[in-house]
Amino acid sequence: MKCLWTAGLFVLAATASAEIDYRVNLLPSPGTLHVIIHLSHSEKGTRLQLPNWGPGGYVIRDASKSVQSLKATDGQGNVLAIDMQVEHATKKYQDGTEMKVVENPITTWTVAPAKDTIVEYDINSAPVDGTMHYSGPSTYLYAVDRRKEKCKLELGLPAGWAAYLGLDEAGTNAFTAKDYDTLADNPVTAGGADGLTVDSYLSRGKTHWIVMRGVARAKVDRANLLKACKFVSDSETDFFGAKAPYNKYIWHFSVNDAADGAGGLEHLSSTQISLAAGVGPRAVSVLAHEFFHLWNVKRIRSAPLGPFDYTKLPQTGAIWWLEGVTDYYAYTILHRYGWTDDNAYFATASSNMQIVARNPAHLQVSPNDSSMRVDESNGGHGNSNGYLISYYNLGWIAGMSLDLELRSRTGGKHTLDDVELALWDMCKDGKPGFAEGEIRKQYVRFGGDGATYDRIVMQPNMPVAEALAKAGLQVVTKSESYVEIGFAAGGGPGSTGLSVNTVRGPAEGKLKTRDQILAVNGTALVGDNGRALASSFAVATRDAVAGKVIKLTIKRGDETMEVEVTPTTASREVITLDRVANPTPEQKKLADAWLARKSPRP
């Protein structure tokens, strides 16, 4: 494909208003992104880095390996010297009872001084079904000391292609970002009419684009997907009681051939979601989760979550709130505004309680610990799920417990909504993130008990049954038989694969923790992030039969191998959430208010 821009022409096109200009030429053949960066006022030299992790996915990786053919010239085309240095930052982490050390390579390219500096390099990006999609942190180098400067992005596209991203437009295929963090936060989907399926709708006067790629997109009920997306946009924006905090929104969907399920990664004005073509209830809940992130985590955030240090993972005890309570509200708003009924809502609450109860770590790790120590997971490289136990599930039931406790203590005068909206008021309009301890402070401000908060959030083995009892609800357990495949695997939106995290029974001696699962029974897992791969894995193994071999293709270190696991029959306790037979007036009043429907519906 012929590139229509050269570095020299790009320099001439640079605008005075943009301090740092980026140009990305999308080249389906040979399958690369050719990136050109123009940095004016670079007389003191330029230090460049590529993020070692991406916001929303708390996983450290060696990003420098993806940068190819890096070169630099000045405004007259003269070659500038580049000095590449790798710092091996070390970090101690706890692995069981043992203290270990992990190295995190941080690569810096230092470019010689020049009045104008033009940097060019390639990133591999293979086209899929006539489309290309990329994320900012894995693509855009940044000038270490200039990340707060305004950026401009221009895209060079093949003829007939269109691009979709959440940045404000500044001309044909040109966009602006107030700083590097904003630029990097906006993924790009591009393709022609034969590769993309595109729909749009209005919510609160803002245009929302539904952009689907992947051959399975033809199986999507487009009207149903649009209805679900618009319902989520309308209801969640209504919850926050103000205009949406963006100018446009992009749903980036990579569609796979499954009945239900999804995995996503949130952004300031878009989301990337690996979506099951069937768009079932679990997929809709992911839509609600990722859209709620527009507020909770992207804007309502703890201070370490922006501006970012891309060389190391942030440490904050608030991820249980930013992920788990986001999930609580995703389901709660779907229920409150009439998309789901009480039975579905109770089933989700029960599922979260059950997942937590089955993990012995719930007796050792609090929601705060699961968040604060996430960087100790995965051999000290982090994950997007939590330290030893998921902050999604812990946060869900912590949010529910705090909500019920606050409603009970204040006689219904205040709810967890007040805490969330107070945090929004504190963080909106570009204000700094909140300090550690602020969630507790706001909870107490609205009548909550600090000791109860600490018992739920800061200590392990939270008393969820006590909170449910205040609404006349009880946790019921019973035994059931199930098929035990012998291992569990997980991954988050920032992870690059699906890792085995526990091994038991039939898989002992065959699998090891941190093995990467590539395929099940000869069929490759589908998804462009860890959570999507986990959803694909769940679909591939849901019909497992005791005594019938499951053939796994795994990667262990640098070796790819085949492993066979034979599931067995086992028994386990199943949790359900039921109403007590004769609730007190206080219990009934609390439950009715908690489960009340919003009227009118979106």
Side-chain angles (χ1 to χ4, degrees), residues 23-359:
R23 169 84 182 184
V24 179
N25 292 318
L26 285 75
L27 308 174
S29 178
T32 60
L33 303 172
H34 183 66
V35 185
I36 309 169
I37 310 174
H38 172 222
L39 302 105
S40 58
H41 311 297
S42 51
E43 292 88 347
K44 295 182 179 180
T46 302
R47 292 190 301 135
L48 300 170
Q49 293 176 344
L50 192 67
N52 269 7
W53 69 284
Y58 305 102
V59 181
I60 284 288
R61 59 189 177 86
D62 186 2
S64 63
K65 294 179 179 179
S66 64
V67 178
Q68 302 177 0
S69 305
L70 180 70
K71 65 180 181 179
T73 56
D74 64 12
Q76 286 71 47
N78 299 308
V79 175
L80 297 175
I82 301 175
D83 178 36
M84 175 179 163
Q85 294 186 337
V86 181
E87 173 192 356
H88 292 279
T90 60
K91 180 188 69 176
K92 293 182 179 180
Y93 70 98
Q94 192 78 29
D95 187 2
T97 59
E98 187 178 356
M99 185 66 71
K100 294 185 177 180
V101 175
V102 64
E103 285 192 349
N104 170 27
I106 302 171
T107 301
T108 303
W109 295 268
T110 301
V111 183
K115 181 179 179 180
D116 288 300
T117 298
I118 301 95
V119 176
E120 299 184 61
Y121 58 94
D122 292 326
I123 299 287
N124 286 335
S125 181
V128 178
D129 301 319
T131 68
M132 296 183 77
H133 176 87
Y134 72 85
S135 297
S138 59
T139 303
Y140 304 128
L141 287 169
Y142 62 86
V144 174
D145 301 320
R146 301 179 61 176
R147 285 179 33 223
K148 293 184 179 180
E149 294 182 23
K150 183 179 179 181
C151 298
K152 179 180 177 182
L153 171 67
E154 294 193 39
L155 298 173
L157 304 175
W161 278 34
Y164 298 87
L165 62 158
L167 290 175
D168 292 338
E169 297 178 13
T172 303
N173 294 328
F175 308 86
T176 61
K178 69 175 184 177
D179 53 26
Y180 176 85
D181 285 356
T182 305
L183 172 72
D185 186 73
N186 282 268
V188 175
T189 296
D194 58 339
L196 297 177
T197 299
V198 181
D199 291 308
S200 66
Y201 63 90
L202 289 176
S203 177
R204 293 290 180 105
K206 305 289 180 68
T207 300
H208 297 64
W209 296 95
I210 297 173
V211 183
M212 292 186 282
R213 64 190 192 279
V215 294
R217 72 188 190 280
K219 298 184 178 182
V220 174
D221 182 334
R222 292 167 63 181
N224 182 56
L225 177 59
L226 190 149
K227 177 183 177 182
C229 290
K230 180 167 169 47
F231 186 95
V232 166
S233 301
D234 290 349
S235 59
E236 293 188 359
T237 306
D238 182 71
F239 172 83
F240 282 96
K243 65 179 182 180
Y246 50 86
N247 294 323
K248 63 178 177 179
Y249 189 82
I250 313 294
W251 297 93
H252 297 274
F253 289 125
S254 173
V255 184
N256 57 73
D257 191 6
D260 197 5
L265 181 61
E266 69 278 358
H267 300 283
L268 283 163
S269 52
S270 62
T271 183
Q272 303 175 83
I273 295 179
S274 179
L275 180 74
V279 193
R282 288 190 293 120
V284 174
S285 73
V286 173
L287 304 183
H289 177 101
E290 300 304 336
F291 200 82
F292 198 83
H293 270 318
L294 281 167
W295 294 270
N296 217 38
V297 88
K298 297 311 298 182
R299 292 168 175 88
I300 302 170
R301 67 185 192 279
S302 53
L305 297 180
F308 301 105
D309 181 345
Y310 293 107
T311 67
K312 61 182 180 181
L313 295 178
Q315 282 194 298
T316 172
I319 306 179
W320 67 271
W321 178 277
L322 301 172
E323 290 291 356
V325 173
T326 287
D327 215 32
Y328 171 68
Y329 270 113
Y331 281 91
T332 297
I333 290 176
L334 287 174
H335 174 267
R336 186 180 296 176
Y337 284 81
W339 187 272
T340 59
D341 59 18
D342 287 0
N343 289 335
Y345 189 54
F346 283 5
T348 301
S350 301
S351 175
N352 279 279
M353 288 188 290
Q354 186 163 275
I355 291 171
V356 169
R358 287 178 179 169
N359 187 335

Side-chain angles (χ1 to χ4, degrees), residues 525-546:
L525 299 182
V526 178
D528 47 15
N529 62 65
R531 288 176 62 189
L533 291 168
S535 178
S536 178
F537 173 75
V539 172
T541 57
R542 66 186 174 189
D543 296 324
V545 177

Side-chain angles (χ1 to χ4, degrees), residues 9 15 42 69 105 110 132 140 189 256 258 296 378 383 392 455 457 461 502 556:
L9 290 176
T15 64
S42 51
S69 305
T110 301
M132 296 183 77
Y140 304 128
T189 296
N256 57 73
N296 217 38
N378 189 27
N383 66 20
Y392 288 90
R455 183 69 186 85
V457 175
N461 195 22
T502 59
R556 181 176 297 163

Side-chain angles (χ1 to χ4, degrees), residues 482-558:
Y482 74 103
V483 175
E484 172 61 82
I485 64 174
F487 64 100
S495 56
T496 57
L498 185 68
S499 298
V500 173
N501 49 38
T502 59
V503 178
R504 55 188 180 267
E508 289 181 348
K510 298 180 179 181
L511 292 175
K512 296 181 178 180
T513 57
R514 296 205 280 273
D515 283 347
Q516 298 282 306
I517 301 177
L518 307 178
V520 177
N521 292 327
T523 302
L525 299 182
V526 178
D528 47 15
N529 62 65
R531 288 176 62 189
L533 291 168
S535 178
S536 178
F537 173 75
V539 172
T541 57
R542 66 186 174 189
D543 296 324
V545 177
K548 185 177 180 181
V549 171
I550 297 176
K551 297 180 180 180
L552 302 171
T553 303
I554 67 170
K555 185 175 182 181
R556 181 176 297 163
D558 295 327

